[in-house]
Structure formats: structure tokens, C-alpha cells
Amino acid sequence: MLLEFFHPLSMEMIADKLNITPSYLSKLYKAKVGFGLIESLRDIRMAWASIYMDHGVYDIRKVAEYCGYSDSNYFGRIFRRQFGMTPSDYMIARKGTKGRQEEGQRSDEMC
């Protein structure tokens, strides 16, 4: 099921596959894990979004699509809520960090 978060996924779709009601699925999941299924899916999607951006996928629409969001504006709002910055700001910050890390590695190699 973890691989299916790349596609639009809802509580109803998961419950249907398990032949239970969405409310029962929600109750079971929360009792077992301690927080909601929707929150878990969001956290997984956001983790993958940051991984994609860290590894060179710089088109926000593509990142949103890869993570199961058909609306890149909605993806941006969720991303900002999760990370405290927009996807664009995140990529700018990560590029700056990578550049400093690479410079540090080159100077270490020269010694």
C-alpha cells in the first residue's frame, strides 16, 4: 500500500479494498498507530516530496504529481504547513546547503 500514495488515494478507497467502512478503518488505524491515516499519508507524501526536491526534481508540478497531488497549489499549501516554507523556498535553501557542502568536500580533498 505504501507505493500507492503516488496516486490519488482516499480513506474510502482503502476501506473499500479492505471491505470495511471508512469510519471503522479510521478508528482501527488511530487505535493501532496513535494518529490518523490521512495524517500518515500526508507525512509520507511530504517526506517523498522533500526527497524528490533534494535529488533534483525542481518542477513543483511534477513533485506534486509524483506524490499524489493533482493540484500543485494545494500541494504547496500542505508543504508550507509541513515544512514552514514554500516548495520554492525549500529548493533554494537546499541548493545553497548542497553548494556549501560540496565546497567543504573540495577543500577537504585539497588538504
Side-chain angles (χ1 to χ4, degrees), residues 56-110:
V57 179
Y58 301 126
D59 183 343
I60 294 168
R61 289 175 305 216
K62 284 289 181 195
V63 173
E65 181 184 324
Y66 293 161
C67 294
Y69 292 95
S70 57
D71 181 348
S72 61
N73 291 322
Y74 178 69
F75 165 78
R77 286 193 303 273
I78 299 298
F79 190 94
R80 185 176 188 153
R81 198 175 306 145
Q82 185 87 5
F83 293 100
M85 64 180 76
T86 66
S88 298
D89 290 342
Y90 180 88
M91 286 189 277
I92 290 167
R94 295 301 295 166
K95 283 181 186 177
T97 302
K98 281 186 177 184
R100 286 192 298 274
Q101 288 173 345
E102 289 171 4
E103 285 176 18
Q105 288 174 347
R106 280 195 294 261
S107 64
D108 289 344
E109 291 170 358
M110 295 177 150

Side-chain angles (χ1 to χ4, degrees), residues 4-53:
E4 292 195 22
F5 73 86
F6 291 104
H7 307 289
L9 191 59
S10 69
M11 180 89 68
E12 290 78 16
M13 292 168 65
I14 296 168
D16 188 52
K17 285 190 180 244
L18 298 172
N19 292 319
I20 59 176
T21 66
S23 61
Y24 185 59
L25 170 62
S26 179
K27 196 178 299 184
L28 282 175
Y29 191 88
K30 193 165 191 163
K32 189 73 170 171
V33 179
F35 47 90
L37 176 61
I38 299 303
E39 289 90 359
S40 292
L41 290 173
R42 183 202 59 228
D43 290 348
I44 292 167
R45 286 177 168 146
M46 290 295 109
W48 274 104
S50 68
I51 289 168
Y52 283 129
M53 289 187 266

